[in-house]
Amino acid sequence: MRAFIYEKYGPPETLRMAEVDKPAPNADEVLVKVLAASVNAADWHVLRGKPLFSRATLGLLRPKHKILGVDIAGQVEAVGSGVTRFMPGDEVYANLLDHGYGGFAEYVAVPLDVVSLKPASLSFEEAAAVPMAAVTALQGLRHHGELQPAQQVLINGATGGVGSFAVQLAKASGTEVTAVTSTGNLDLVRSLGADHVVDYATTDFTRSGRRYDLILDTVGNRSVPDLRRALAPGGKAAVTGFTSMRRLLGVSLRGGKDIAQVQAHVTTEDLELLSELIAAGKVRPQIDRRYRFADIPAAITYLEQGHARAKVVVAMT
Ligand SMILES: NC(=O)c1ccc[n+]([C@@H]2O[C@H](COP(=O)([O-])OP(=O)(O)OC[C@H]3O[C@@H](n4cnc5c(N)ncnc54)[C@H](OP(=O)(O)O)[C@@H]3O)[C@@H](O)[C@H]2O)c1
């Protein structure tokens, strides 16, 4: 089968298309014919082996896993001997971040705990846009407990992959949502349902005088004192992104109980919850750009610039 492989850490040009063996599913896996994938920040972090400490698990000198790609949607081609939940022909979506990646390929073996039936109303490309970003938004928003209607929620980075889902999920919970984005994206966040918008080019949300019950910082560019200043009494912040080691360590070491760095782990249960919200029309992936399989390095280059308008997807044609 064709796959994009990389044998050393580096920029997107390090990736090359190669013929590799088609995987065989283990007893508790399904083999998926990948029809679409989406690109995530995880792809360029893992491709570059950055931050450096991540190489302790990714491979010290060279990458342990040769094929990138975490989000996929496609059709079940074969099932492992212990699988009863799926059958060949089922349309599914999945995330491979915790299972060795491998999505930028024509086929991938997917463990049962990170795969779900694809929402019927979505195309394969739309479905591939969902797992990593939407589950991160979901787990970030509920990290400190379930959202309560009428709570004031602020989403920093509201038009990125994670943020565009977070705005919709927070609205679906009945909260009042303030979205922080750049001037050109104010209309987009309004269309996602944001009640209030903040243009970060002109307004610092931590100094506007407004206070929030929950801040989801998908960018990770704010310090702990900045975030704390914008919290209402008893308010909490969940930080899912990071822009530098200083910021990451700042939140991890100085955050405390009210401000937490959150690492998402995709589960079938959360994918099924998202499928229900999508079926109910409460959440819909927003696609910024579509790329062909052969252009995956260009898709990663675009995402790495940090200004995608929601999701970047790949059709495996
Ligand atoms: N913890 C986890 O499990 C997890 C999971 C997924 C992703 N992440 C991390 O989360 C981060 C975001 O991921 P993503 O997929 O949403 O990225 P993305 O799609 O690349 O989006 C980045 C967003 O950041 C916004 N942005 C840039 N500078 C900003 C600023 N100064 N203030 C406010 N917003 C700003 C951009 O909006 P404009 O274009 O309007 O500037 C853009 O919409 C990445 O660092 C990624 O590594 C973590």
Side-chain angles (χ1 to χ4, degrees), residues 41 136 156 159-162 181-182 185 200 218 221 240 262-264 307:
T136 302
N156 188 33
T159 45
V162 178
T181 188
S182 58
N185 288 330
Y200 69 72
T218 76
N221 61 340
T240 56
V262 176
Q263 176 62 50
H307 296 287

